[in-house]
């Protein structure tokens, strides 16, 4: 159990395009979902925490208008990278948890390349 | 915020060898998880272990919460064990229960 699906797994697009990444908990209801960014050979960096039905909480230094997060239901959160530029190229990973004292389960990640 | 230190940063093994990875954290924690990130980037849950000892096949983990460290043991390593191993913790007393990751241990298992 505790499967998290992330889609798409790979995106290549032109500068200025907006890209939407979906994160779904397939077999459980996730009260909270998280979005991370990972640069090559580095650890995961939390971008934002998303609770169902409320606004996302962004970490310091993360642009809210650049990275739009929507947590429309207990099984779906989306991250939209708006007007993406080459510096937004990275590996984005989502995670989900049932409740505050439960482990986080991660999606397989999305490799975003902006040309 | 809480500091999470993993050691060693890099480890190279021959297939069949055993290894121990360490995770030290600077404050008390509610949760601790070990992950394996494979070469394709997939982050695989190994253990959810805020305290105590757990085993899963060739892998086992021990967390001594009072001394603020956790150990991940890999026995009879295989080439498929290669990748980065991350320790991540949720500090006690926080209101948001966010995971803080260590920098990871890069494990290479040679045939």
């Amino acid at each position: 159990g505790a499967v998290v699906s992330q889609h798409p797994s790979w995106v290549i697009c032109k500068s200025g395009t907006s890209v939407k990444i979906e994160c779904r908990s397939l077999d459980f209801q996730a009260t909270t979902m998280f979005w991370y960014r990972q640069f090559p050979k580095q650890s995961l960096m939390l971008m934002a925490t998303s609770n169902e039905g409320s606004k996302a909480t962004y970490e310091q230094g993360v642009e809210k208008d650049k990275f739009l997060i929507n947590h429309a239901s207990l099984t779906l959160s989306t991250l939209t990278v708006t007007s993406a530029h080459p510096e937004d190229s990275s590996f984005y990973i989502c995670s989900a948890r049932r409740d505050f004292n439960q482990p986080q389960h991660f999606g397989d990640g999305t490799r975003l390349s902006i040309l | 915020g809480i500091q999470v230190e993993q050691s060693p940063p890099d480890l190279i093994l021959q297939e069949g060898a055993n290894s121990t990875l360490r995770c030290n954290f600077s404050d008390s924690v509610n949760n601790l998880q070990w992950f394996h990130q494979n070469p394709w980037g997939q982050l695989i849950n190994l253990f959810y272990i805020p305290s105590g000892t757990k085993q899963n096949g060739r892998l086992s983990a021990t967390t001594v919460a009072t001394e603020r460290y956790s150990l991940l043991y890999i026995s009879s390593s295989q080439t498929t064990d290669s990748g980065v191993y991350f320790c991540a913790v949720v500090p006690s007393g926080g209101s948001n229960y966010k995971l803080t990751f260590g920098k990871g241990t890069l494990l290479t298992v040679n045939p």
Side-chain angles (χ1 to χ4, degrees):
Chain A
V3 177
V4 176
S5 172
Q6 188 172 339
H7 179 80
S9 57
W10 197 291
V11 180
I12 301 174
C13 58
K14 294 181 179 179
S15 185
T17 307
S18 292
V19 178
K20 180 184 282 189
I21 303 170
E22 289 189 350
C23 180
R24 294 180 184 272
S25 55
L26 297 185
D27 53 358
F28 66 99
Q29 292 189 325
T31 57
T32 308
M33 290 185 170
F34 302 86
W35 288 95
Y36 296 83
R37 184 173 182 176
Q38 187 180 30
F39 292 104
K41 300 189 185 299
Q42 293 189 22
S43 187
L44 279 72
M45 180 186 74
L46 180 66
M47 299 174 65
T49 302
S50 164
N51 291 298
E52 185 265 339
S54 61
K55 290 185 178 180
T57 303
Y58 291 81
E59 295 299 301
Q60 192 172 8
V62 177
E63 299 177 58
K64 300 178 184 181
D65 295 332
K66 162 67 75 176
F67 300 101
L68 299 179
I69 292 171
N70 182 273
H71 194 155
S73 74
L74 284 171
T75 59
L76 174 64
S77 177
T78 60
L79 167 67
T80 301
V81 184
T82 62
S83 188
H85 293 286
E87 58 266 28
D88 299 322
S89 298
S90 192
F91 189 56
Y92 294 87
I93 314 176
C94 73
S95 72
R97 69 176 183 212
R98 287 184 178 88
D99 204 346
F100 69 93
N101 62 350
Q102 298 292 309
Q104 287 187 30
H105 301 278
F106 284 77
D108 286 347
T110 298
R111 295 197 184 279
L112 177 62
S113 295
I114 309 298
L115 305 177
Chain B
I2 194 168
Q3 304 299 312
V4 182
E5 295 184 1
Q6 291 187 241
S7 60
D10 299 276
L11 184 60
I12 300 174
L13 301 174
Q14 286 299 121
E15 202 167 22
N18 303 328
S19 62
T20 301
L21 281 56
R22 188 176 180 102
C23 172
N24 292 335
F25 39 95
S26 61
D27 210 340
S28 58
V29 299
N30 280 334
N31 300 341
L32 187 146
Q33 291 182 250
W34 281 98
F35 299 93
H36 173 214
Q37 188 169 39
N38 64 24
W40 296 270
Q42 294 172 316
L43 208 62
I44 299 162
N45 256 319
L46 297 178
F47 294 103
Y48 171 65
I49 185 167
S51 64
T53 297
K54 291 186 178 180
Q55 181 157 6
N56 184 3
R58 295 182 296 105
L59 273 59
S60 63
T62 295
T63 297
V64 184
T66 53
E67 297 187 21
R68 300 181 183 170
Y69 73 88
S70 183
L71 302 174
L72 177 68
Y73 306 95
I74 304 174
S75 64
S76 304
S77 58
Q78 301 175 357
T79 56
T80 51
D81 294 331
S82 296
V84 182
Y85 289 81
F86 288 106
C87 167
V89 303
V90 174
S92 301
S95 60
N96 49 30
Y97 297 90
K98 298 184 293 187
L99 276 175
T100 298
F101 279 77
K103 292 185 177 180
T105 292
L106 175 60
L107 175 64
T108 303
V109 181
N110 292 322

